[in-house]
Amino acid sequence: MTALVRYLHGDGDTLTAAGAGIALSPGFVTARLHGARGDRRDAVLAAVQILGLDGLHRLGERAGVLVALFGAEATKPLAAAAGQAIAEGRWAALQLASAASGVLGAEQLVRLLTLDGPPIDPTPDAAASTMAAHLGRLLTPYSGRRRLDLLLDLWQRVAARQQRLRRDQRRRATQGKHSRLDELTTRYRTHDDALLLDQLRQDLGHEPTVAEAARWFPYAWQAEVSLNRTLADALAATALVRTAANVGDHGVVQGMNRSTALLTAAARAISQEEARAAARRVPGLTGLPARPGCYVRDLAAQLGNPAEQYVRQRLARAAEYAEILLDVATDRLIEFRNQLGGWPSVSLRDWRAGVGYLTGRDPARWAQPPVGGGRPPLAERLRARPGVPPAEEETAGDLFWYAELADALAQLNGHEQADVEYGAHYPYTDHDPLPDDDRQLVPSLDSLPAALAGAAQLVSFGGQPPRQCRAWPELTDRLLAALGVTQRLTTAFRVPEPLLALDGTVLPGTEVRLRFARNARTLTQWATYMGNCIASLPYVEAAEQGESALVALLDEDGRIVVNVKLDQHVRGWRAGEMRARFNADPDLELRRLIVAWAAALPSAPAEEPVPDPEGERLPPARPAFRRRADRTFQEVGGPLARLAADALAAGETVDALRVLHAPDGAPPAEVLTSLRRLSADRVERLCRNKLQAVGLPALWRATSVRPLERALTALPSARTSENAPTTSRTSENAPTISRTSENAPTTARASEDILPPARASEDVRASARAPEYTGGRPQLALLLLDAPLPGSLRKLARHDAIAPARSMELVARRIRAALGRLARAGDPALAHQVARRADTAVLCSLVVAVTSWPPDPALPTVAVSEPGRTSVPGFPRSDLDDPSGPWQRALPGAVELGADLDAFRDRVAGAGLHVPVAWLGHGGWNALWQRAAR
C-alpha cells in the first residue's frame, strides 16, 4: 500500500498509469477496472512519466513496453530513441511518436523522437489513443514520406505558436494584476479639468462664477494647446506600452536598451514643470501620476542602469494609460473639431526621426481623412510625391499616431495589429479584436492534440484531405474550403423548448453556465477547443433528429469546462456521455450535479389528439368555415390585393428588397419566398452577412418597410363601398401603422400604442389596434403575425399579390428577432456595427431590448443613466418619455427584438438604462450617442 500511494496520487495521469501494471512489490501490480478511459498505450505513457527511465523495469519486459508504445514493429534504434526522449523528459515527442505508430514506420518514428527543433509543452489530459484515431483519419490518404512531412511541419508550427503564447504571457505579466483603470481615469480627467480651469481664470482675471464658466468658450489657440497636450500624452503612452512589450520579450536590461530612443523622444514632449504638476498628489485620488509622461521621464532617467523593480512598477499601468488616451483623444477630436486651428498641420518629423514607424502598418496606405479638412489622406499625398519619406509629409492631423497607439496596445494583448476602420472624424479601433466567424473553425495550434482534433473534426463533416499537400496550413485551409459548402453545418438542431429556456442559466449548485448547441458549426467550434469528438456524425445526427441535446458548461471566463450529451427517454432526460477537455473525465462532484440536474428536466410535451365526443354528432362545420373564408376573401381580396401590389411596387419597398437580397433578376415574390423559408440559424447568418455588406442602419431601415401594413392601413372601411377611390390612401404620405414610425415622427395613435405597459402578447396588441387600420376588420391584423392563420384568412394570404407582401412582413420580423438573438449572445459583428455605424432608430431599440433582459454575465453591461431618471445623457438631449423623441419611436422595434416593455420600465426605475460594454468604444456612451445622432 505504501508503494501504491507513492505512485498513484489520484489525479488523471496516475489513475491512467494504473492500467500499465506497475509492479509494487513481489506479487502485486496496479490495475484498473474494465471500461476505464484509454488503452494500454495511454497507461504506459502515463506510467513512464511517473517512473522515469530508471523505473521502467517495474512495467515488465522492455520489449513489452516498446510494443505497447509503438506496436509490434518496434526496432532497437526506436527503443534507443525512446529511451533518450524519456531521459530528457521530451514527453510531447514521445506521445506524438506513440500516436503516429499506426501511420509511420519505425525509421520515421525515430525521426520524430530525435527531432532537433524547438520543444513543445506536453498536454497531460490528452490521450495518445485519441490522437492516433485522429491521425488515421487525416493521414491515411498520403504516402509515408508525406505523412512525416506534415507531422514535422505541424510540430514546427505548434512550437512557434507556443513560443508566441509564452511571449504574450510574459508581456501581460508586465501589467498590474488588478485593474485601476477607473481610478486612473478619474485622476487624468481631474488633472485635465484643473488645467482647463486655469485657462479660464487667466482669461477672466478672477475666479469664475458658474454662469461665467458656462458661457466661456475656448479660443482656437487654447484648443490647440489642449490637443498638443493630448498628443504628447498619447506618444508617452505608446512609449510605455512598447517598452513594456520589450521588457516582456527580452527582460528589463535588454528591453530598456531596445527602448532607449523611444523613451528619450517621448520624454522630450513633457517638461519638468508639467511632470511635477501631473505627479502632485491630490487628496482623495490615486497616487499614480495623472499623465504617462511622468513615468516616461522616470524610465528615461534609468537608461543605462535600470533597477528591475523600479522599471516594472512604472510599466505596470502602461496599458491603462493607453486605453485612457485613446478615449481622451477621441473626445478631444470630437469636442474641438470646429476649432482645430493650426494643430492638424503640426509636423511629427522630430518624433519620427527618433523612433521611426513602430508597427507593421504602412503609412503609404493610410487613407484616414485628415482632421480639419482641406487635404487628401496621407496615402494620396505620398503617391503624389514619390520618393518623399513619409515622415516629411505626415502631420498630427493624419492621426497615424492614433493607430500606432492602438497597435501597441493590441500587441500587448497578443495580436499583430489592432483592427482599424476609417471614420469621418477619427479612426475606429479595436485593440482586442475577436477572430472572424470563419477563422473560429481553424484548428487551434495551441497544442498537438488540439490541432489534430480540430482537423479531424473537419474531415468528419465531409472535408476531404487534398492529394497534393506539403504543409499543415494547406491541409486545414483546404478542409475548411470544402467545409464552407457543407449543408450539415447550418442545419438547425431540434432542441426542445424546455431545454432552450435553460440556455444561458447557471447549473444548480455550481458557477458554470449552460449553453445548448443549435447547429453543427457550433459543435465544430467546441470540438476545436475541447479536442473531443462531439462534432462527429453520430452526435450531429442524433441532435438533428431531436433524440439528444448537446450542452457545453462554461466557466466565468466563457471557457468550456465539460461537454454533456443529454439523451431523451420516455420520462424525461438523462445525462449520457460527459467529457472534459481531450476526453478527460470531469470532476466527480460536477458529474454528480449534472446527473441530478438532467434527471429533473421535464420531458418534451407530446401533442395529444383531441378525442371526438362519443354519442354525439358534430355539426357540419366545414361548409360554414368555407362560407366565412369566401366572404372575407370576396369583401377585401380585391382592394387589399391592389393596395398590396402598389405597396410592393413603391420605391422604398424596391430599395428594401435590394438590401435584403442582392439583385439577380429574380421576381420579388420568389426572392421573398426564398427568404421566408430560411431556418432561424440561416436568418442569423444572413444578418451577419448583411451587417458586413450594407451595415446595421441600412438593414434596420429595410426591415421597417412593411408593404402589407401599408396596404392594411389604406384599406377602405367595412362601411365604405369597395369601389370607393383609394388613390389618396396609397400615396407615399399615407398614415402607417405605429411600428413603421421608427424613422419618422409618429401620429398620436402611435404614442397611445406604446406608452401603456406592453406585457400583453403581440397578437393582443395587434387586435386592439386593428379597427384603426384594417377598415374595421380586426381579424385582418392576424395577417401581420408570424403564426398559423385561421382558415378564414388562409385563402386571402395565398393571393398572388398579398402573399409576397405578407412574406416581406414575416421576413422583416424574423430578421429583427435574429438581431435580438445576436445582441443577447454578444455577437462581435453586431457589436462592431453598433459601436461604429448605428443610428438612433436602431440604437434606441437595441438599448431598450438589452435593458429589459435579465442580467447575464455573458453580456456585461454598464449603466448610462441614473436609476429612475428618464433623461438620457449625451448630446443631443433625449428623454425616455418624450412622445415624439427617439426612445418612444423605438419601442415597437424593441419589442420585435424581444424586449419586455414592462421589465424595461422596472429596470430603468431600479438600475437605469444599460448598454453592453462591447458597444461602447472610445468616448463611452456620449460619443456613441453623438455618432448615432449625427
Side-chain angles (χ1 to χ4, degrees):
M1 292 303 295
T2 303
L4 180 65
V5 172
R6 175 185 174 188
Y7 290 115
L8 306 180
H9 304 291
D11 61 12
D13 284 345
T14 54
L15 291 178
T16 301
I22 303 175
L24 301 176
S25 61
F28 291 91
V29 296
T30 62
R32 294 183 302 162
L33 294 175
H34 177 71
R37 184 176 70 92
D39 57 14
R40 177 164 170 76
R41 167 174 36 194
D42 300 323
V44 171
L45 278 171
V48 164
Q49 296 184 49
I50 296 173
L51 299 173
L53 192 61
D54 295 336
L56 285 184
H57 65 279
R58 292 183 176 274
L59 298 178
E61 295 291 335
R62 179 162 295 199
V65 175
L66 289 176
V67 170
L69 291 177
F70 306 111
E73 298 181 359
T75 62
K76 289 183 178 179
L78 180 57
Q84 186 67 22
I86 294 172
E88 296 175 359
R90 290 187 285 109
W91 306 120
L94 186 67
Q95 183 186 51
L96 179 61
S98 179
S101 60
V103 294
L104 297 181
E107 293 182 359
Q108 294 171 319
L109 294 177
V110 172
R111 177 76 185 280
L112 277 182
L113 288 170
T114 58
L115 180 64
D116 184 16
I120 285 182
D121 298 333
T123 309
D125 294 333
S129 57
T130 303
M131 294 171 62
H134 296 330
L135 285 169
R137 187 175 300 171
L138 288 166
L139 302 184
T140 299
Y142 302 111
S143 64
R145 181 178 179 181
R146 187 60 53 82
R147 296 171 185 175
L148 178 61
D149 289 343
L150 286 171
L151 286 180
L152 293 177
D153 184 70
L154 174 61
W155 180 281
Q156 297 292 336
R157 295 182 185 280
V158 170
R161 170 63 178 165
Q162 290 188 352
Q163 287 180 347
R164 288 194 296 271
L165 292 175
R166 288 191 289 269
R167 180 206 66 184
D168 295 341
Q169 187 175 10
R170 292 193 303 269
R171 288 182 175 182
R172 286 191 291 269
T174 63
Q175 301 305 291
K177 294 182 179 179
H178 304 289
S179 174
R180 300 184 67 180
L181 181 61
D182 292 340
E183 301 174 51
L184 197 53
T185 300
T186 303
R187 178 78 165 97
Y188 187 96
R189 299 277 186 182
T190 302
H191 178 72
D192 200 55
D193 290 346
L195 296 177
L196 182 66
L197 288 173
D198 286 342
Q199 285 187 349
L200 179 57
R201 294 187 187 99
Q202 291 176 8
D203 276 3
L204 298 178
H206 60 81
E207 192 67 25
T209 64
V210 174
E212 288 174 331
R215 288 192 298 266
W216 183 76
F217 202 70
Y219 294 104
W221 69 267
Q222 292 171 323
E224 188 173 346
V225 168
S226 179
L227 287 167
N228 281 330
R229 184 170 61 248
T230 302
L231 175 60
D233 288 344
L235 298 180
T238 303
L240 281 183
V241 174
R242 296 286 297 177
T243 303
N246 286 335
V247 168
D249 292 349
H250 307 286
V252 170
V253 175
Q254 292 188 27
M256 288 286 287
N257 289 339
R258 288 170 178 266
S259 304
T260 297
L262 194 61
L263 292 172
T264 302
R268 288 198 294 265
I270 179 172
S271 67
Q272 183 176 1
E273 292 75 13
E274 290 176 318
R276 286 176 179 173
R280 188 175 297 118
R281 289 182 175 271
V282 177
L285 300 179
T286 178
L288 297 171
R291 300 176 63 184
C294 300
Y295 279 161
V296 168
R297 290 177 59 88
D298 291 346
L299 293 174
Q302 287 283 311
L303 291 172
N305 187 28
E308 180 162 349
Q309 186 174 1
Y310 183 91
V311 170
R312 292 191 179 277
Q313 285 178 346
R314 279 150 181 78
L315 293 178
R317 303 298 160 190
E320 293 171 356
Y321 276 117
E323 290 188 47
I324 292 171
L325 263 301
L326 283 172
D327 287 341
V328 170
T330 302
D331 292 345
R332 292 290 179 269
L333 292 171
I334 294 176
E335 180 182 356
F336 297 134
R337 63 181 181 273
N338 297 321
Q339 298 173 278
L340 296 174
W343 180 81
S345 301
V346 172
S347 175
L348 296 180
R349 189 180 299 110
D350 293 340
W351 168 256
R352 296 301 178 193
V355 304
Y357 288 92
L358 302 173
T359 64
R361 193 175 299 278
D362 186 1
R365 304 181 65 179
W366 183 246
Q368 167 67 33
V371 295
R375 294 185 303 159
L378 177 61
E380 294 184 18
R381 302 202 308 272
L382 290 175
R383 283 196 296 270
R385 301 179 63 191
V388 174
E392 294 295 324
E393 188 65 35
E394 182 194 1
T395 63
D398 291 316
L399 303 183
F400 193 76
W401 55 268
Y402 188 104
E404 283 191 326
L405 176 56
D407 285 340
L409 192 54
Q411 290 171 356
L412 200 61
N413 289 329
H415 306 283
E416 293 299 323
Q417 282 184 334
D419 279 356
V420 176
E421 181 180 341
Y422 303 131
H425 303 293
Y426 59 91
Y428 306 132
T429 63
D430 185 355
H431 54 264
D432 195 10
L434 293 174
D436 296 335
D437 287 345
D438 292 339
R439 302 306 297 173
Q440 290 180 8
L441 297 180
V442 175
S444 169
L445 292 175
D446 291 354
S447 67
L448 289 170
L452 295 175
Q457 296 300 333
L458 301 182
V459 173
S460 70
F461 274 99
Q464 293 296 325
R467 292 183 179 181
Q468 301 296 327
C469 181
R470 297 183 179 276
W472 187 260
E474 185 180 357
L475 172 64
T476 56
D477 287 346
R478 293 196 183 183
L479 289 175
L480 277 170
L483 193 67
V485 296
T486 301
Q487 177 69 25
R488 188 177 293 274
L489 274 180
T490 56
T491 301
F493 292 164
R494 295 174 57 187
V495 185
E497 188 61 36
L499 298 186
L500 284 179
L502 299 174
D503 195 34
T505 61
V506 176
L507 179 70
T510 71
E511 295 181 354
V512 296
R513 289 188 171 271
L514 304 166
R515 187 70 66 196
F516 287 86
R518 308 295 183 91
N519 53 38
R521 181 177 289 271
T522 301
L523 292 185
T524 305
Q525 294 172 354
W526 290 359
T528 299
Y529 172 75
M530 295 293 285
N532 57 26
C533 56
I534 194 172
S536 57
L537 287 181
Y539 297 97
V540 173
E541 291 172 349
E544 288 176 349
Q545 297 167 7
E547 298 173 357
S548 65
L550 301 171
V551 192
L553 303 184
L554 310 179
D555 63 14
E556 294 179 352
D557 296 326
R559 290 188 295 263
I560 304 176
V561 178
V562 177
N563 282 133
V564 182
K565 177 174 175 281
L566 296 177
D567 297 318
Q568 189 174 17
H569 61 104
V570 177
R571 298 182 179 178
W573 297 85
R574 59 188 171 197
E577 295 183 63
M578 281 179 265
R579 286 288 180 261
R581 202 173 186 198
F582 301 116
N583 280 330
D585 294 323
D587 177 77
L588 291 179
E589 178 62 18
L590 180 59
R591 183 186 184 91
R592 184 188 66 81
L593 293 171
I594 293 172
V595 171
W597 166 77
L601 291 175
S603 59
E607 296 182 1
E608 299 182 359
V610 180
D612 293 335
E614 297 182 2
E616 180 178 324
R617 200 166 187 177
L618 293 178
R622 190 67 178 174
F625 171 83
R626 286 177 177 168
R627 283 197 299 271
R628 181 183 177 187
D630 290 343
R631 184 171 62 250
T632 302
F633 184 83
Q634 292 171 2
E635 288 180 357
V636 301
L640 186 59
R642 288 192 295 272
L643 293 169
D646 291 343
L648 282 170
E652 62 177 2
T653 307
V654 174
D655 293 340
L657 282 173
R658 290 197 187 101
V659 172
L660 298 178
H661 192 277
D664 57 3
E670 294 182 10
V671 171
L672 291 168
T673 300
S674 64
L675 292 174
R676 181 178 174 180
R677 290 174 177 172
L678 294 178
S679 63
D681 286 334
R682 295 187 67 185
V683 173
E684 291 183 12
R685 188 171 65 178
L686 172 70
C687 288
R688 291 192 181 95
N689 293 338
K690 291 301 178 182
L691 288 175
Q692 295 180 358
V694 302
L696 180 59
L699 181 61
W700 188 259
R701 287 192 295 270
T703 56
S704 70
V705 177
R706 309 291 175 86
L708 185 58
E709 285 187 357
R710 184 186 183 111
L712 288 173
T713 302
L715 190 67
S717 171
R719 290 179 294 274
T720 303
S721 171
E722 181 177 337
N723 297 321
T726 59
T727 304
S728 62
R729 302 295 299 276
T730 61
S731 66
E732 292 292 327
N733 298 321
T736 58
I737 301 171
S738 62
R739 195 218 50 77
T740 64
S741 58
E742 298 160 4
N743 301 315
T746 59
T747 62
R749 172 175 51 80
S751 63
E752 293 171 1
D753 293 334
I754 57 181
L755 286 173
R759 177 81 64 178
S761 63
E762 190 176 0
D763 54 344
V764 172
R765 293 197 314 273
S767 298
R769 298 196 309 260
E772 303 177 18
Y773 64 85
T774 59
R777 304 175 183 88
Q779 75 276 13
L780 295 183
L782 299 178
L783 290 170
L784 301 177
L785 303 182
D786 192 0
L789 292 174
S792 60
L793 296 178
R794 291 174 190 167
K795 185 176 181 180
L796 191 65
R798 289 194 294 265
H799 193 285
D800 290 343
I802 300 173
R806 183 167 187 264
S807 292
M808 192 163 184
E809 173 76 31
L810 301 186
V811 167
R813 288 174 178 266
R814 291 172 186 177
I815 288 177
R816 292 198 169 185
L819 289 174
R821 293 193 297 271
L822 294 179
R824 190 187 289 262
D827 183 78
L830 179 64
H832 176 84
Q833 288 287 325
V834 174
R836 289 160 172 77
R837 299 184 179 178
D839 56 17
T840 55
V842 62
L843 179 61
C844 292
S845 294
L846 284 167
V847 171
V848 169
V850 169
T851 304
S852 74
W853 295 331
D856 185 353
L859 185 66
T861 61
V862 61
V864 297
S865 69
E866 297 180 10
R869 298 287 298 273
T870 60
S871 59
V872 181
F875 180 83
R877 295 180 180 179
S878 60
D879 193 286
L880 297 177
D881 285 343
D882 181 2
S884 60
W887 295 100
Q888 288 292 321
R889 294 199 302 269
L891 292 181
V895 172
E896 292 183 339
L897 292 169
D900 181 340
L901 297 188
D902 278 354
F904 168 70
R905 297 179 184 280
D906 293 342
R907 291 197 171 93
V908 168
L913 204 64
H914 274 248
V915 177
V917 175
W919 297 359
L920 300 177
H922 310 312
W925 167 255
N926 289 339
L928 176 61
W929 180 251
Q930 189 171 20
R931 285 195 298 271
R934 64 190 175 195

